Amino acid sequence: MRTDARRTARPARNAGVTQADDAGPSGVAPRSRREDIIEAAAECFSVAGYDATAMRDIARKTGMLAGSIYYHFASKEEILIAVHEEAVRRIMNHVCAGIDPSASPWDRLLQASANYAEVLVAERKFAEVVVTEFPRRRDDALRAVLVSHRNAFEKVFRDIVDDLPLAPWVDRTLWRLALLSQLAWSVVWYRSKGGKTPAEIAVHMVDLLRRQTEAE
Amino acid sequence: MRTDARRTARPARNAGVTQADDAGPSGVAPRSRREDIIEAAAECFSVAGYDATAMRDIARKTGMLAGSIYYHFASKEEILIAVHEEAVRRIMNHVCAGIDPSASPWDRLLQASANYAEVLVAERKFAEVVVTEFPRRRDDALRAVLVSHRNAFEKVFRDIVDDLPLAPWVDRTLWRLALLSQLAWSVVWYRSKGGKTPAEIAVHMVDLLRRQTEAE
Amino acid sequence: MRTDARRTARPARNAGVTQADDAGPSGVAPRSRREDIIEAAAECFSVAGYDATAMRDIARKTGMLAGSIYYHFASKEEILIAVHEEAVRRIMNHVCAGIDPSASPWDRLLQASANYAEVLVAERKFAEVVVTEFPRRRDDALRAVLVSHRNAFEKVFRDIVDDLPLAPWVDRTLWRLALLSQLAWSVVWYRSKGGKTPAEIAVHMVDLLRRQTEAE
Amino acid sequence: MRTDARRTARPARNAGVTQADDAGPSGVAPRSRREDIIEAAAECFSVAGYDATAMRDIARKTGMLAGSIYYHFASKEEILIAVHEEAVRRIMNHVCAGIDPSASPWDRLLQASANYAEVLVAERKFAEVVVTEFPRRRDDALRAVLVSHRNAFEKVFRDIVDDLPLAPWVDRTLWRLALLSQLAWSVVWYRSKGGKTPAEIAVHMVDLLRRQTEAE
DNA sequence: CATGAATGAGGTTTCATTCAT
DNA sequence: GATGAATGAAACCTCATTCAT
C-alpha cells in the first residue's frame, strides 16, 4: 500500500545544464521553455522519427526531466502538433518573404519556390517533420489538425499557380504537386550534393515545368 | 535518444539469396510461412511505420502468435531487411520486364519509368517501405544492408541514364534523382487522382526532363 | 502494495483546534482560503475518493494552483484529516441541535437519529468521506487521528443508548452499530428514492429496533 | 533513438516464488494463473482499495512481474471487473445453497440471509470489493458492467421478498435494501465482535424487520 | 499569498524477446 | 513449427511536493 508523502527535501537544482540565454540588452528574445521544447523535439523527430523519439530524448536536450515537459505540453502528440505548426509557420514566413504582389505570376512563383527550397534546407529539422511525419499519421483527429496547418501553406502556392497562364489541358493541382514534390524531396536527399544552392535548384525546377506547360 | 549501436554485426542473412520456393509440379507456389510474414509485415509497415508496428500486429495478420515469428526470423529488424529486400526485388522485376536491351536509351528509360510508376502503385505496400522507412534508419549496419539492396535497383536507372545523350553540363546523378523523386512521390500522394494512369504520368515526367536537357 | 509506514509521526496539526474565523462586525463569516480548500476537497473526495483525487483537482475548484495549497496545508493527508474533522463537526452540530437533555432517552434518540439522517443527506459531500474513506485508511498514525474525531461523534449516540431501557440481553454496542449502519447506508443509496424524508426514515428505523428490544 | 534488440539472454527463471500447487491426484484443481491473479487482486483491493493498489502489488503476490499480468488481463480495470464478477459468483453460490424452493418465503429469506452473512465473512476479501469499490466507480461503461453482475445477485433477494406476505404499505425495494444494508455493513465492521455467528446475526435482523411489517 | 516551473518517484502499459512444452 | 507464459526494459504519463520569485 502506498503512501504519497514525499520523502526527501529535494533542492530544486537546475542540474548543471543552465540554459542561460537571458538575452539582456542585445535584443535577442530569450527563448521560452515551450520554444526550447519545440526546438528540441523538432530535432529529435527529424533525426529519429516521432515514434522512435522518447520524451526523455526531448527532455535531455532541454536540460529537464521527462516529467517536466508535461507542465508545458499535455502529451507527446501535442508536441508533434506544436512542432508541425511551428514548422509550417517558419516555412510560410520564409516562402512569403520578399514576394512582390504586383510581380508577374511566374516571377512570384520563382521567388516562392526559391524561398521554399531555401527554407527546406535552412530549417531542415522542422521541414523534415512536415514532409515525413505527416503522411504517416492515421489518427483522424490528429490528421485533421495537421491538415489544417498544411492548408495555410498550400494556399500560398495554390493562389500563385491559379494565376499562372498555363495551357488549358493542365491539371493545376497535379502541376503544383509535382513542383512541390520535387522541391520537398530535395530536403530528404539533398546533402550538400553538387554545387548548386537550393535556390538555384528551385529555379531550375520551375523552369522545367514552365517550358512544357505555359500557354502560348 | 535511444542509442542505436548495433551490438553484433549481423550479416544480412539471406541477403541476395532467392528463397527458392519449391513450387512442385502443381505450378502454383504455396506461399511459405516466411513469405506470409514478409507480406504481412510489409502491410503493417506501410500503414503504421516500422516503429509503430508491433510483432503482434504482424503475427495476427498471419494467424500466429508473436513468439512463433522467431522461428522464422531472428528479430524484428531482420523482418524489415527481408521486407526491404523483397520490395526491391519486386520493383526490379517489374521495372526490368519487357525492356528491349537493343532499344534506344530514351525508349528504355521511358519503359523503365512507366514500369516503375506502375509497380509503385501496384505494390504500394512494399514500395512505401522502401520509400519511407529507408531514409530514416540511422543505424550504420542496418543502413549498409538496405543501401546494398537499393543499389541493385538504382543501377538499372544509372545504366540507362549513363547511356542517354544528355548535354555535357548535366549532372546525371542529380538528373536521375530528380526523375526518381518525382516518380516515388507519386506513391505517397497518388490516390487514383486525376484520370492518368501511373504509366502515363511517368511518360509525362520523363518528357519534361528530356526536352530540357537532351543534347542537340 | 505501497508500504504505508508513516515516516514521521506528524501530530495532527490543528486537530481539535477550532479555526476561529474572525467574522468581523458584518456578521457574515468570509470563508477563509483554508475553508475553501476543505470544502473543495470534500467534494472531490466524495465524488472520486481520496486516492483518485489529485491536488490539482482540489486546487482547480478553489481557483488556485496545486502548489498554492501548500501554504495552507502541509500535505494531502492533512487535508483529509481536516475534511474528516470538519465533517464530524458538521454532523455533530446537526445531530445535537435541538435535543432536549431533559427529554426521555427514546425521544432523544429519535431526535438525534432524525437529525443524523438529515445531515447525512444535507452534507453528503462531507458525510461520504467519513463513511467511505475512514474504514480504508490503514496507516496507524492517520487512523488514530480519524478515530479520535469519530469518537466524539459516537459518544453522542453511545450516551443516549446507554440511557435506553433495553432488555438485559441486548448488546448495546451491536444495537447502536445496527442503527447507525442502517442510517449511514442511506447516504450511499438514498437518491431521493421513495417519498419519505430522511427524518421519516430515521424514525422508522428507530421504531423497528425499539419494539424488539425495549425492556418491558 | 532506440534499438529494440534485446541485449542479454535472460533465462526464464521463476524467481524463487514457485507457486507449486499442482494438485496431483488429490483432486484439487490446480488454480490457473488467471485465478491466482484474481485472488491476489481481491486481497489487495480489499485491503488498500482499487486506486491504492499497484499492478506491482498484485504481481508480487502471484510471483510475477507487473508486465506479465497483461498476458492475462488487458488492463487494471479488467481485473477489477473479474474480481467483482468472481465475488458476485461466490456470494450467489453460497446464498443459494441449500435453499428449499418449496419452503415458505420467510424460511427461504432466513436461509438466504444467513448464507449471505456467512459468505460476507468467509469471503471477506471479495465481499469488500463489491461493497466498497462498486459505489465509487463513476465511469459509465464500467459501472454498467458492475451493475449487471450485481443485478444477478439482487434478483435472488428480490424474488424472495416479492413472495413475502408483507403489509400493503411496505415499499418492498426499501425493505430489501434495509435488510441487505445491515447485513453488508457487518462485513466492514464485524471483527469477531460479540459471541454471535454471522448466521445468528442474520436471523436476528430478519426477525427485526419481520415483526414490524408482516401482513396479519 | 500565489504562481510558475520543475522534480523524481512511481503508476499503467507496451513490446521485443525467450523458452519449455 | 507453434504456443503459452513470462521477462524486463523502457515508454508515456501522473502527481505530491518544493521553491524562487
Side-chain angles (χ1 to χ4, degrees), chain C residues 3 82 110 117 125 135 170 188 196:
Chain C
T3 42
L110 277 168
K125 277 177 349 196
V170 172
V188 178
K196 302 197 188 61

Side-chain angles (χ1 to χ4, degrees), chain B residues 177-193:
Chain B
L177 239 46
L179 175 63
L180 293 181
S181 294
Q182 265 194 347
L183 292 170
W185 205 254
S186 72
V187 197
V188 179
W189 288 106
Y190 183 87
R191 297 272 185 263
S192 61
K193 175 91 178 178

Side-chain angles (χ1 to χ4, degrees), chain C residues 191-203:
Chain C
R191 298 271 184 263
S192 61
K193 178 92 178 177
K196 302 197 188 61
T197 67
E200 286 167 348
I201 293 177
V203 170

Side-chain angles (χ1 to χ4, degrees), chain C:
Chain C
M1 242 138 291
R2 302 173 241 162
T3 42
D4 227 355
R6 290 282 114 213
R7 253 144 308 266
T8 51
R10 249 175 312 81
R13 234 167 41 185
N14 294 332
V17 176
T18 323
Q19 189 85 13
D21 40 85
D22 50 294
S26 77
V28 180
R31 231 172 33 187
S32 72
R33 295 315 257 139
R34 197 172 193 277
E35 282 165 325
D36 287 346
I37 294 169
I38 290 175
E39 189 90 19
E43 191 159 337
C44 292
F45 293 166
S46 84
V47 167
Y50 175 78
D51 293 304
T53 296
M55 291 297 269
R56 240 165 239 143
D57 299 333
I58 302 171
R60 190 180 315 119
K61 262 209 171 61
T62 57
M64 7 167 62
L65 295 183
S68 312
I69 293 184
Y70 287 82
Y71 182 83
H72 304 276
F73 291 91
S75 71
K76 190 183 174 190
E77 210 180 82
E78 289 225 337
I79 298 180
L80 174 59
I81 292 173
V83 168
H84 193 268
E85 192 187 359
E86 174 68 14
V88 171
R89 186 188 350 269
R90 291 189 186 201
I91 292 172
M92 288 253 308
N93 281 351
H94 204 100
V95 164
C96 298
I99 294 190
D100 176 6
S102 64
S104 80
W106 281 113
D107 281 348
R108 278 185 283 142
L109 184 69
L110 277 168
Q111 187 65 51
S113 298
N115 288 346
Y116 183 48
E118 269 172 10
V119 76
L120 284 178
V121 171
E123 302 272 21
R124 195 195 315 253
K125 277 177 349 196
F126 283 92
E128 285 204 0
V129 173
V130 175
V131 171
T132 68
E133 286 306 329
F134 165 61
R136 187 89 90 216
R137 301 298 130 196
R138 301 295 196 232
D139 173 64
D140 283 340
L142 172 59
R143 203 178 167 85
V145 174
L146 302 188
V147 165
S148 77
H149 296 159
R150 173 176 271 267
N151 279 346
F153 159 71
E154 296 218 336
K155 185 169 189 314
V156 175
F157 277 90
R158 191 161 45 239
D159 286 351
I160 301 181
V161 172
D162 281 350
D163 286 351
L164 291 178
L166 294 178
W169 51 269
V170 172
D171 177 334
R172 285 169 192 263
T173 300
L174 221 60
W175 197 95
R176 171 168 47 87
L177 239 44
L179 174 63
L180 293 181
S181 295
Q182 265 193 347
L183 291 171
W185 205 254
S186 73
V187 197
V188 178
W189 288 107
Y190 183 87
R191 298 271 184 263
S192 61
K193 178 92 178 177
K196 302 197 188 61
T197 67
E200 286 167 348
I201 293 177
V203 170
H204 209 68
M205 288 175 170
V206 172
D207 243 27
L208 282 180
L209 289 166
R210 176 181 193 167
R211 312 270 175 114
Q212 274 302 307
T213 55
E214 193 168 11
E216 287 142 38

Side-chain angles (χ1 to χ4, degrees), chain B residues 76-95:
Chain B
K76 189 184 174 189
E77 210 180 81
E78 288 224 339
I79 299 180
L80 174 59
I81 292 173
V83 167
H84 193 267
E85 192 186 0
E86 175 67 14
V88 171
R89 186 188 351 268
R90 291 189 186 200
I91 293 172
M92 288 253 306
N93 281 352
H94 204 98
V95 165

